[in-house]
Amino acid sequence: MKIIAYEVREDERQYFDELGEKLGVELVLTEEVPCLGNASVATGCDGVTTLGQGNINAELLDEYQRLGVRCLSTRTVGYDHIDLAHAKKIGLPVCNACYGPGGVAEYTVMLMLLCIRHYKAALWRMQVNDYSLGGLYGRELRNLTVGILGTGRIGTQVAQILSGFGCRVLGYDVYQGKASQWLTYTDLDTVYREGDIITIHLNLNEKTRHMINRESIEKMKPGVILINCARGALMDTDALIDGIEQKKLGGLGLDCFEHEEGIYHQNRRDDIISNRSMAYLRQFPNVVMTQHMAFFTDAAVYDMVKCGVEGICSVLKTGKYETLL
Ligand code: COI
């Protein structure tokens, strides 16, 4: 079996090598982001595995299938970059990754703590020998209500971690699961109304795109802190900017950003970057932004590569894989 892996980072290479040998798979590794222009490198490959920077649209899926590709896997949990409906229509199986939720959940809680303790402003001041305390008055997590939107594996783990801090945790999801051990399920408006901090852990799709918008922010407490370690487009960036400017929002912890593709995970130091909202939001002292790195841990990266390769092998050999979408 032959698999082409796109968007391969240095830290993934050793895992690909190990898995290729273990599973007897011939692997072609490239740093390139998949697109029509480089689809031909998949010629003769049974499977394609990718990360999340490419736009795997209908045209590209058709082309892969025409080239003989029989399965596609994304080494990410999210699959909003793939036209899944079209893949289903043409009978091209797609699977995603299922790495442990711990890294993203811990990172989420870290962003909450950074925000409530004004850590970004404190860090900036230290760099210029300003040791003053003004404006750095913090709050303690145990006295706050945290709202979790989406209680899948990551949302549930966030709730579990938060139970150790002693805060009140509210959750909203259409499917209610074992998170009820660590949070109280409620309706969306109650989460908006009562959350001092609200964190979102939902898939991005047409129902959830811009779920956090002017209307939802309007329903929230003044000074609410919003956290996003899922997908940038779950939040309407213009509404976030207005919320910060009007001081309705007390802070933002954003590990992802709308239209981050082609920017995040790249060294763009010498380039003129055209995502104006990103540069604008970044300058506020109460907005913490990182380069979509909540996932980036030793444990998760190995699992991502494993799911990427193993998923294709399993689907092609047995027609099944636990994360077949
Ligand atoms: C995912 O796994 O869905 C992520 O968000 C991580 C990815 C950007 C590498």
Side-chain angles (χ1 to χ4, degrees):
M1 188 176 311
K2 189 171 169 186
I3 295 176
I4 169 131
Y6 284 96
E7 296 183 62
V8 175
R9 296 185 314 264
E10 269 317 301
D11 53 278
E12 292 183 305
R13 282 184 184 269
Q14 60 160 338
Y15 299 138
F16 273 114
D17 291 346
E18 274 172 34
L19 282 157
E21 204 169 282
K22 186 171 151 204
L23 301 172
V25 175
E26 185 187 341
L27 285 163
V28 182
L29 308 184
T30 173
E31 288 168 20
E32 284 183 47
V33 173
C35 64
L36 264 189
N38 59 27
S40 61
V41 287
T43 308
C45 291
D46 305 287
V48 167
T49 176
T50 182
L51 284 171
Q53 299 267 327
N55 174 16
I56 318 285
N57 56 22
E59 232 182 330
L60 187 52
L61 289 167
D62 285 341
E63 182 61 5
Y64 283 139
Q65 195 172 50
R66 196 186 66 79
L67 294 169
V69 170
R70 292 179 291 129
C71 180
L72 183 116
S73 75
T74 177
R75 307 191 294 287
T76 58
V77 171
Y79 46 84
D80 48 285
H81 53 300
I82 303 171
D83 186 340
L84 213 54
H86 189 75
K88 279 204 165 68
K89 190 171 141 201
I90 63 173
L92 185 67
V94 178
C95 44
N96 68 339
C98 177
Y99 52 90
V104 179
E106 287 179 11
Y107 201 91
T108 301
V109 176
M110 180 190 79
L111 287 180
M112 291 178 190
L113 291 167
L114 293 184
C115 289
I116 61 174
R117 301 308 299 268
H118 309 289
Y119 187 70
K120 179 176 174 183
L123 198 70
W124 278 1
R125 288 186 197 180
M126 281 295 286
Q127 311 306 316
V128 292
N129 281 349
D130 174 355
Y131 306 108
S132 64
L133 286 176
L136 301 183
Y137 213 47
R139 287 180 291 171
E140 296 182 28
L141 210 40
R142 70 193 163 90
N143 295 324
L144 303 179
T145 296
V146 178
I148 302 180
L149 304 178
T151 57
R153 293 168 73 238
I154 296 172
T156 298
Q157 181 101 40
V158 171
Q160 185 178 0
I161 295 172
L162 287 176
S163 67
F165 284 88
C167 47
R168 177 172 174 243
V169 186
L170 300 177
Y172 168 79
D173 203 321
V174 274
Y175 309 102
Q176 304 192 350
K178 66 170 189 174
S180 58
Q181 294 173 70
W182 298 293
L183 56 73
T184 306
Y185 276 110
T186 183
D187 57 280
L188 195 52
D189 280 356
T190 305
V191 175
Y192 289 154
R193 196 175 55 243
E194 299 190 9
D196 296 295
I197 301 174
I198 297 176
T199 181
I200 191 159
H201 300 283
L202 290 164
N203 279 330
L204 175 65
N205 54 44
E206 282 325 303
K207 282 197 189 123
T208 58
R209 185 176 298 277
H210 286 190
M211 178 167 167
I212 302 297
N213 52 34
R214 284 194 171 76
E215 208 182 313
S216 47
I217 291 174
E218 184 65 37
K219 294 178 183 169
M220 295 176 193
K221 274 191 182 180
V224 63
I225 287 168
L226 302 180
I227 307 291
N228 189 357
C229 288
R231 285 293 179 270
L234 290 167
M235 297 184 168
D236 174 352
T237 307
D238 290 338
L240 295 183
I241 291 175
D242 286 351
I244 287 289
E245 284 181 340
Q246 290 158 13
K247 301 194 178 156
K248 167 80 191 214
L249 300 178
L252 290 170
L254 306 177
D255 184 50
C256 47
F257 204 81
E258 229 180 340
H259 311 303
E260 68 180 45
E261 300 78 14
I263 302 174
Y264 280 3
H265 301 180
Q266 314 290 323
N267 180 354
R268 302 287 310 271
R269 203 181 296 211
D270 299 322
D271 300 340
I272 304 292
I273 295 177
S274 62
N275 192 327
R276 293 184 187 184
S277 316
M278 205 179 99
Y280 186 62
L281 256 187
R282 198 180 52 198
Q283 44 96 24
F284 292 104
N286 55 349
V287 177
V288 178
M289 285 169 61
T290 51
Q291 57 268 51
H292 207 144
M293 56 176 280
F295 79 96
F296 198 46
T297 68
D298 49 0
V301 170
Y302 175 73
D303 282 349
M304 290 164 95
V305 176
K306 185 164 175 273
C307 291
V309 178
E310 214 178 60
I312 293 173
C313 293
S314 172
V315 169
L316 293 186
K317 282 183 192 149
T318 68
K320 292 185 202 142
Y321 193 57
E322 54 176 323
T323 65
L324 186 59
L325 295 166

